[in-house]
Amino acid sequence: MSLSPDLLALLAVAPLLVAGVLLLGLRWPAQRAMPIAYAATLSVALGVWGVAPITALAASLRGAIIALELLSIIFGAVLLLKTLERCGALARIRMSLAEVSEDRRVQVLLVAWFFGGFIEGAAGFGTPAAIAVPLMVGLGFPKMPAIFAGLAIQCTCVSFGAAGTPLLIGVSSGLAGDPGALALAAELGAAEGLRDAEAWRGLLQAIGLKIAATHALVGLLVPLLLVALMTRFYGARRSFREGLEVWQLALFAAAAMLVPYLAAAVLLGPEFPTLVGSLVGTLLFVVAVRRGWFLPCGEPWDFADAQPAALIAPDPRIGTRLAWAPYALVALLLILTRLPQLPLRSLLTEAVVHLPALLGTELQYDLRPLTLPSTIFVSVSVLSFLFFRHRVGLAARDYGSVWRASLKTLLPAIPALLFSVMLVQVFLNSGVGSQAYETMPLVLATRLEGLFGGAWPVAAPAVGGLGAALAGSNTFSNMLFSLLQFNIAERIGADPLWIVALQAVGGAAGNTVCIHNVVAASAVVGSHAQEGTLLRQTGWIFLYYLVATVLLYVVVVGVIAS
């Protein structure tokens, strides 16, 4: 019996409501809440969508494999940090940042906004939090504000993360083969004298410019929101005012990144906005702080419960450049292995472990171990220990203790992350059931189209955000919803390029409220059972981004129409 669209949409959203009530309402830890939410998803998939048990099991297996990849990234990031801590290099890094400023509001902009943004541009897929969060904790930040900051910045930089993957792979794959998209690409290409692949690249570039312009304007307030919310949630006085005191510096930090970010989108293409913006912005920011520009008056701000960090004192023979060298090497290797213009990426991607027909179903997965950030993290950790051990007199058994400590940090995160990703995979692969319904996320999106009609642009960023929050990936959200957004835009007479751009911007913001991103960011510093609190806090960034994006679109369209 066919169910009504309203009832079907309600059943599709039910597992998400279960997760929300348990995490946000009852404040259960994710390691308790997510197994129940997974069971609810499985029940709906089997009982309503008619998904075969073997298919649901295969989707769960696919989720487990993806979860293992995510866990390997967490482990690698923790291993590198604890290696540097054991060698004494982390203490030198802390001293170098304190020389820039002892004010935590300044440090969070430098480490989370700029350094985290750079890692996002190079690697994406949750890597910024895996590096920036433990680094902030190592610098003396309490765990919760460090996790919050690592998650809060995963919006503006994400659309061009991993050298433009969300656009060049996500949107491109989502629109590939669609007659309307191909016709529009040909039309745009004809105007520029482009054909075929060049015309398609021109279509993506046109969407990318709209994405970049939107982020450049909406993202201007993200550093200020980051600092103000951090002082409100975690300061001794729980004060917005203490964060707003650095409004000049926060706005400068935003402009220092976003002006070159937008220029790179116009002049260089979608691979470079986040990379160029964060690099140029870091240089400008450090110069400004060292010269005392835009800094607030008074004593440097700190947390009431800030930890001096139990670090081994740096050996005098470990200078600042040597201490930062491992992270610089990580950044370099991430760029070399991800930029499509360089040959190393294609060589590494050829090393594939293909897993076809999981459990005899149509589901499959390709493992590319050499392209995982964890491979780089572990390799640099080994090299760092070998290099520093002779300078500070460490034995091989000291490195064994680093591995054991890193594994101990990882273990509590396994259940929450495993069930979170398994839930997502069952949710996304629910369209192969005997009832022939579309997948659960597409059912939700289609019902939203019926509710909003011609006002669809109001909902477009939220749909992108929902996709990313579920899948933990702006790239996957764009794959899933770009064509839907394009077709809806054609039906309501809106500009399809703008609607797809709204999808991508919302998808970027959705990373701030993705459950398994929260679990992963918490795991790298050994923090657990606070996922609901973090989601409520990062939710303000997400809400701001959605509202500001819609208002900006309304203004832009109004100006064009007039």
Side-chain angles (χ1 to χ4, degrees), residues 167-204:
L167 177 64
L168 297 176
I169 302 298
V171 172
S172 182
S173 298
L175 297 180
D178 178 66
L182 291 171
L184 183 54
E187 180 183 339
L188 294 173
E192 300 291 333
L194 305 175
R195 291 184 179 181
D196 301 329
E198 290 183 346
W200 188 254
R201 168 81 180 194
L203 175 75
L204 296 177

Side-chain angles (χ1 to χ4, degrees), residues 122-430:
F125 299 100
T127 309
I131 294 181
V133 171
L135 180 56
M136 283 186 281
V137 170
L139 299 175
F141 278 64
K143 292 180 180 180
M144 287 292 284
I147 300 167
F148 167 76
L151 293 168
I153 59 95
Q154 293 192 51
C155 46
T156 307
C157 299
V158 170
S159 287
F160 301 103
T165 296
L167 177 64
L168 297 176
I169 302 298
V171 172
S172 182
S173 298
L175 297 180
D178 178 66
L182 291 171
L184 183 54
E187 180 183 339
L188 294 173
E192 300 291 333
L194 305 175
R195 291 184 179 181
D196 301 329
E198 290 183 346
W200 188 254
R201 168 81 180 194
L203 175 75
L204 296 177
Q205 176 80 355
I207 296 172
L209 291 177
K210 290 175 171 57
I211 295 171
T214 303
H215 277 309
L217 292 173
V218 176
L220 279 172
L221 292 183
V222 169
L224 183 59
L225 281 172
L226 164 63
V227 178
L229 290 172
M230 184 183 73
T231 60
R232 171 63 181 85
F233 293 139
Y234 300 107
R237 298 181 180 86
R238 298 294 192 267
S239 168
F240 279 117
R241 182 178 178 179
E242 291 178 329
L244 296 176
E245 287 174 354
V246 296
W247 68 271
Q248 295 182 60
L249 184 66
L251 290 178
F252 174 76
M257 174 185 283
L258 294 175
V259 170
Y261 171 103
L262 184 57
V266 174
L267 300 174
L268 300 176
E271 295 91 349
F272 297 100
T274 298
L275 282 170
V276 171
S278 55
L279 277 175
V280 174
T282 300
L283 295 175
L284 294 174
F285 185 80
V286 170
V287 169
V289 172
R290 286 189 179 277
R291 297 189 179 185
W293 298 344
F294 312 117
L295 293 177
C297 301
E299 294 296 318
W301 185 88
D302 204 348
F303 302 98
D305 56 345
Q307 302 298 319
L311 299 172
I312 299 172
D315 189 285
R317 290 167 293 184
I318 301 179
T320 300
R321 292 182 180 178
L322 280 180
W324 276 103
Y327 281 121
L329 180 58
V330 166
L332 177 62
L333 291 174
L334 287 172
I335 292 173
L336 292 176
T337 56
R338 273 141 183 85
L339 282 181
Q341 296 90 341
L342 302 177
L344 190 55
R345 176 178 177 176
S346 60
L347 290 174
L348 294 179
T349 54
E350 290 177 0
V352 181
V353 179
H354 184 54
L355 302 175
L358 293 174
L359 302 181
T361 68
E362 295 181 357
L363 296 179
Q364 58 183 349
Y365 195 72
D366 288 339
L367 286 168
R368 291 183 169 84
L370 296 183
T371 64
L372 285 174
S374 52
T375 303
I376 293 175
F377 293 157
V378 173
S379 299
V380 174
S381 168
V382 172
L383 291 174
S384 299
F385 184 81
L386 292 175
F387 179 81
F388 286 120
R389 64 174 294 191
H390 299 295
R391 290 177 173 265
V392 296
L394 297 176
R397 63 177 177 274
D398 293 311
Y399 196 43
S401 67
V402 169
W403 275 73
R404 288 190 294 272
S406 301
L407 287 169
K408 185 177 179 181
T409 299
L410 183 69
L411 289 176
I414 294 176
L417 196 59
L418 182 65
F419 283 103
S420 296
V421 185
M422 287 165 60
L423 178 157
V424 167
Q425 287 301 308
V426 173
F427 196 80
L428 296 176
N429 290 285
S430 54

